[in-house]
Amino acid sequence: MKIARTKQLKEKPDYSKLGFGKYFTDHMIVMDYVNGKWNELEIVAYSQFSFDPSMNAMHYGQGIFDGLKAYANTNGEIQLFRPTENLNRFNRSAARLCMPEIDIDVVLRGLKKLIDIDREWLPKEDGTSIYIRPTMLGTEEALGVHPSKSYRFFIILSPVASYYANGLEPVKILVEEKLVRAVTGGTGNIKCMGNYAASLLAGARANEKGYAQVLWLDAYEHKYAEEVGAMNIFFVIDGIVKTPQLLGSILPGITRDSVIALLKDEGVPIEETRISIEEVVSAHKNGKLDEVFGSGTAAVISPVGVLGYNGVDLIINNNKMGKLSAGLYKKLTDIQYGRSQDKFGWIEKI
Ligand SMILES: *Cc1c(COP(=O)(O)O)cnc(C)c1O
């Protein structure tokens, strides 16, 4: 690991107006892949990149990323939540797009060092964190559809506010009946850049109609729930928690996996299964749709208060966050911020 600290530290932003992903710390990780191997990982000043206009990623989209967070715990230490899971997923994304895998030990050591160097940037307010964005781009300077011969891997850090600056407000979601996010055999189960570009139109149309995001359905029958925006989705129907099973088109969320583990640990019935939109509508009609929520690193748990389908708005749990969702939010964040014991071994200190 090479470290070149900058002396020109940036001015910190107004921490009461952090928002999400708007500010970046003083340093970053850069590691290039050339001639069939990774160069040494470097920690350098956060700065712009210069790339050739012919670079692979700009034309054929060899570009992947992941997202995780660092949290200040109650002892003033900094800790990561399941970082190895994120880096393993990053390598699965790389393999799917014919990109080279990273050495997880090397990168995790580099990441801890980077966070330590920029530790002054960690906000201390409740619910805040440093969002970590590992990214890789194909950088070969040539046109022609083939795997790039060279790559740039980098990690940038962004101090972020609590997702719930105004409290845990449920969101309005529109069921998307025409556009689809992903198909089995495609790239829906990895974090590649193109997935997000392809999802923007549905999200924008939903916004125009007053909804925050869409509920994606399966690509074949437009019948089964898949994900909500860029979060995994859970339905609580008649006391049973159900989440779509991973059949290749759904992103295997680490928050999703943690929710399932917590529910199993508490003996709450949880099923990974197929959930048709008709099942959801009929549960709602019979008063058995207890709760609906999304899960993801950014929001942790995001309650769905309204589900728009077929011109009708289904109101869920009086448009309030449900008991089960609230309990999961508390348990997960208590572990992430070190307020409760980490009996699952999910925490890694810097
Ligand atoms: C990142 C992501 C998720 C959530 O994954 P986490 O590991 O829980 O943050 C869910 N769906 C999509 C499409 C995603 O990109």
Side-chain angles (χ1 to χ4, degrees):
M1 183 184 332
K2 277 194 240 171
I3 301 174
R5 278 186 186 234
T6 176
K7 290 197 180 70
Q8 282 169 305
L9 302 182
K10 296 187 236 180
E11 204 163 315
K12 304 274 191 305
D14 178 350
Y15 270 42
S16 68
K17 298 194 181 84
L18 272 184
F20 183 83
K22 292 193 292 183
Y23 304 99
F24 298 95
T25 66
D26 291 312
H27 297 85
M28 64 180 175
I29 284 175
V30 175
M31 187 169 73
D32 285 330
Y33 184 90
V34 276
N35 299 325
K37 64 175 185 29
W38 286 107
N39 287 347
E40 196 173 355
L41 180 150
E42 296 184 44
I43 296 178
V44 297
Y46 185 98
S47 63
Q48 295 186 344
F49 290 139
S50 168
F51 288 122
D52 194 89
S54 69
M55 87 184 268
N56 167 294
M58 286 200 228
H59 301 269
Y60 309 114
Q62 273 186 302
I64 57 168
F65 65 92
D66 217 284
L68 64 159
K69 283 175 170 176
Y71 309 85
N73 73 17
T74 43
N75 297 326
E77 298 161 312
I78 303 178
Q79 56 188 38
L80 297 164
F81 183 72
R82 309 187 74 182
T84 307
E85 298 289 327
N86 289 88
L87 297 177
N88 277 324
R89 183 169 69 192
F90 189 82
N91 272 345
R92 291 199 300 274
S93 299
R96 177 64 180 80
L97 294 197
C98 266
M99 301 167 87
E101 295 183 15
I102 51 166
D103 183 324
I104 288 176
D105 291 337
V106 167
V107 169
L108 191 54
R109 225 177 305 132
L111 174 60
K112 288 179 179 176
K113 187 70 194 168
L114 174 68
I115 294 169
D116 188 41
I117 289 174
D118 282 346
R119 63 187 307 134
E120 294 277 296
W121 284 84
L122 186 71
K124 300 290 177 317
E125 294 73 20
D126 217 29
T128 59
S129 55
I130 281 188
Y131 183 76
I132 302 161
R133 172 53 60 89
T135 310
M136 197 199 308
L137 299 170
T139 52
E140 186 182 340
E141 299 170 4
L143 297 182
V145 180
H146 59 257
S148 177
K149 290 192 179 66
S150 57
Y151 295 87
R152 170 154 297 175
F153 170 81
F154 60 94
I155 302 181
I156 52 177
L157 306 179
S158 175
V160 297
S162 169
Y163 194 85
Y164 295 108
N166 306 316
L168 282 149
E169 281 172 25
V171 288
K172 250 182 108 168
I173 298 294
L174 182 65
V175 179
E176 173 57 59
E177 295 175 64
K178 288 207 176 69
L179 300 176
V180 297
R181 197 191 79 89
V183 295
T184 299
T187 56
N189 57 353
I190 62 161
K191 278 189 184 288
C192 68
M193 295 175 183
N195 288 351
Y196 304 86
S199 76
L200 296 175
L201 182 59
R205 286 182 182 162
N207 291 162
E208 275 170 26
K209 292 181 188 151
Y211 297 85
Q213 254 305 343
V214 297
L215 171 65
W216 298 105
L217 300 179
D218 75 282
Y220 308 97
E221 299 176 72
H222 299 268
K223 189 173 162 187
Y224 298 101
E226 297 235 312
E227 302 209 44
V228 54
M231 284 190 283
N232 295 113
I233 184 139
F234 289 81
F235 299 89
V236 189
I237 298 177
D238 204 10
I240 298 170
V241 185
K242 296 186 178 196
T243 193
Q245 67 190 125
L246 303 175
L247 295 171
S249 55
I250 291 172
L251 197 284
I254 293 155
T255 319
R256 174 189 181 277
D257 186 73
S258 308
V259 164
I260 293 171
L262 280 171
L263 292 172
K264 284 187 175 160
D265 182 61
E266 288 158 24
V268 178
I270 160 80
E271 293 176 7
E272 292 177 76
T273 178
R274 301 194 86 186
I275 304 137
S276 72
I277 191 68
E278 290 312 330
E279 178 183 351
V280 174
V281 170
S282 110
H284 183 265
K285 198 195 276 168
N286 300 328
K288 293 192 166 158
L289 183 60
D290 308 334
E291 297 180 33
V292 180
F293 61 91
S295 75
T297 295
V300 190
I301 299 291
S302 177
V304 176
V306 176
L307 200 56
Y309 176 60
N310 223 350
V312 180
D313 274 348
L314 312 181
I315 313 291
I316 300 150
N317 194 41
N318 290 321
N319 201 13
K320 297 239 158 53
M321 188 177 207
K323 251 202 204 122
L324 191 121
S325 315
L328 284 166
Y329 179 79
K330 180 165 190 317
K331 275 168 213 140
L332 275 170
T333 52
D334 279 351
I335 295 174
Q336 288 165 342
Y337 289 92
R339 294 187 292 257
S340 74
Q341 207 203 331
D342 167 33
K343 71 173 187 180
F344 299 95
W346 287 341
I347 294 300
E348 199 152 324
K349 288 188 186 157
I350 296 292

